[in-house]
Amino acid sequence: MASLKDAGAAGWKRWSLAFLGTALALVLLIFGFIAVMDPFGSRLAAGQAARPLMDINQRYMYPQLVRSGAFDAAIFGTSTMRLLDPAVLSKGLDVRMANLAMNAATPWEQVQIAELFARKSATPKAVIWGIDTTWCEPDATEPAKRLTPRPFPPWLYDEARWNDWPKLINLTTLEIAGRLLAYKLGYLPERIRRDGYEVFTPPEETYDLARARFHLFQNYGGTAPDLTPIAPATEVAAKERDGWRFPALDWLDTALAALPRETSKLIVLPPAHLTALPREGSAGWQHYAACKEALRSLAARRGAVIADFAHRSAVTQQDANYWDPLHFRLPIAQRVEADLIAIARGAPVSSDGFVQVSRP
């Protein structure tokens, strides 16, 4: 009986060791596959081409574009800046530009990629930074506002490479590595162009104004709101006005200060539809105007030009120019590109008041 128990125990031991050995071999195989494919460019150094961008989470994909050293100019911001084509701007501004704007990026997230660009770009020629209304929120710097539900990998933005590898052993990284292999074998296309550009809006030929208006007015019960200016303007108590603070602008100030004086700095307030902006004359509108004034002071201090499209204009009050309150259509993106190139060159801009320019 004892011998049977001993034999059974020995069998379990052999099985357990075999199982553990197989599991360890599998982990090492997976880790080796991920390490070889390096889907996020963790091993990338200046002068090496970035990997094909196979994931739609730009927070993981874009650091390698910066580390490659292939770009001396960059666009920062949220999805409201993502339709600006860096190839067009590169040609117009005589730079090598990447679009590093990220969907729903918080001010903190934008600062992380901007600071990485400032550290890794040997001679940054130009930055274009889209500033949405989130930068004007009084609690924008609170810990709870720094991240979104989208995962953010701070380890891809720091200077320590050794701490990256443990973070890579997960199913998501394995999936992206698999996509990268499929791309190399010719089975999948790149998800995002190698300068960060992607047309993420639906095809223009599918545009439906009725559907766009559904999205534009869904926060107003489905009907067009009254967007005419409030006159006289809502009275705001001096005490309340004196208490307005825009703490995220301090982050912007620090990030711009980290760039060389010679770097061209262009701050853009994207052309959101009027439904996405405070109603003119309201207390919210006056708060936003105060934020813009603080932004102008900051820009003057850092030698930056402001291109303000976020106001009432023939574009921002025309429903047919938008997919939803924040996202304009490709023809509008092309107008913005043309105006930004003209501003940088000191040439005339749109004559219909689409953009208001403030120079230091």
Side-chain angles (χ1 to χ4, degrees):
M1 182 68 71
S3 62
L4 289 176
K5 288 183 179 180
D6 291 342
W12 274 108
K13 183 177 181 180
R14 285 194 299 272
W15 183 90
S16 299
L17 290 174
F19 176 80
L20 291 174
T22 301
L24 179 60
L26 181 60
V27 169
L28 291 175
L29 180 64
I30 292 173
F31 181 77
F33 174 65
I34 291 172
V36 169
M37 300 307 296
D38 192 20
F40 304 138
S42 297
R43 299 196 310 270
L44 207 66
Q48 296 179 315
R51 312 292 186 257
L53 307 183
M54 302 305 295
D55 191 8
I56 58 174
N57 187 341
Q58 306 95 38
R59 292 155 176 80
Y60 281 79
M61 291 286 99
Y62 289 168
Q64 61 182 309
L65 296 182
V66 176
R67 294 183 186 281
S68 72
F71 303 99
D72 57 17
I75 299 169
F76 308 123
T78 67
S79 57
T80 59
M81 298 292 287
R82 289 193 65 214
L83 286 184
L84 301 187
D85 191 338
V88 172
L89 292 166
S90 292
K91 184 177 180 180
L93 302 178
D94 190 26
V95 296
R96 292 174 285 112
M97 181 167 284
N99 191 325
L100 304 177
M102 303 181 289
N103 292 347
T106 64
W108 184 84
E109 290 175 322
Q110 294 173 47
V111 167
Q112 305 315 299
I113 192 71
E115 289 182 341
L116 181 64
F117 176 76
R119 293 197 307 270
K120 294 301 179 181
S121 179
T123 55
K125 289 185 177 179
V127 296
I128 297 175
W129 202 324
I131 302 298
D132 295 314
T133 55
T134 53
W135 284 86
C136 298
E137 294 174 357
D139 60 347
T141 58
E142 293 297 317
K145 287 288 191 80
R146 296 192 179 193
L147 296 173
T148 73
R150 296 169 175 82
F152 183 90
W155 44 274
L156 281 175
Y157 292 75
D158 63 25
E159 298 307 312
R161 299 292 86 199
W162 60 268
N163 66 345
D164 293 358
W165 296 108
K167 311 288 197 312
L168 296 174
I169 307 178
N170 57 69
L171 292 177
T172 299
T173 307
L174 180 61
E175 178 189 353
I176 305 307
R179 288 182 190 172
L180 183 53
L181 177 61
Y183 167 83
K184 291 180 179 295
L185 295 175
Y187 294 116
L188 283 179
E190 293 176 284
R191 299 293 296 272
I192 303 172
R193 206 170 73 189
R194 293 200 198 189
D195 58 3
Y197 181 64
E198 177 191 23
V199 178
F200 65 94
T201 52
E204 281 291 323
E205 58 270 20
T206 68
Y207 183 78
D208 182 336
L209 180 57
R211 184 170 179 79
R213 282 178 170 153
F214 169 79
H215 291 293
L216 287 169
F217 307 144
Q218 63 181 341
N219 292 331
Y220 298 92
T223 58
D226 183 3
L227 298 175
T228 57
I230 298 174
T234 302
E235 185 175 347
V236 178
K239 183 177 180 180
E240 179 181 351
R241 189 183 297 274
D242 291 342
W244 286 344
R245 296 290 183 272
F246 315 104
L249 295 186
D250 291 337
W251 285 349
L252 179 64
D253 189 32
T254 300
L256 292 178
L259 293 165
R261 183 180 296 273
E262 298 76 21
T263 303
S264 172
K265 307 171 186 72
L266 181 54
I267 295 173
V268 177
L269 279 64
H273 187 273
L274 286 186
T275 53
L277 299 173
R279 184 178 175 185
E280 189 173 344
S282 68
W285 177 81
Q286 293 175 65
H287 180 272
Y288 187 39
C291 182
K292 285 185 177 183
E293 183 57 38
L295 187 60
R296 280 190 287 270
S297 298
L298 182 160
R301 198 163 56 247
R302 297 304 173 195
V305 176
I306 293 180
D308 182 2
F309 298 91
H311 57 86
R312 179 181 297 274
S313 72
V315 171
T316 57
Q317 58 188 331
Q318 177 58 255
D319 300 344
N321 290 330
Y322 292 85
W323 293 98
D324 59 42
L326 292 177
H327 300 110
F328 43 82
R329 299 175 62 188
L330 279 175
I332 303 305
Q334 291 160 4
R335 285 198 60 181
V336 173
E337 291 163 1
D339 275 336
L340 296 184
I341 291 171
I343 291 169
R345 292 178 170 178
V349 296
S350 299
S351 60
D352 60 355
F354 180 37
V355 59
Q356 298 171 350
V357 183
S358 300
R359 297 186 183 275

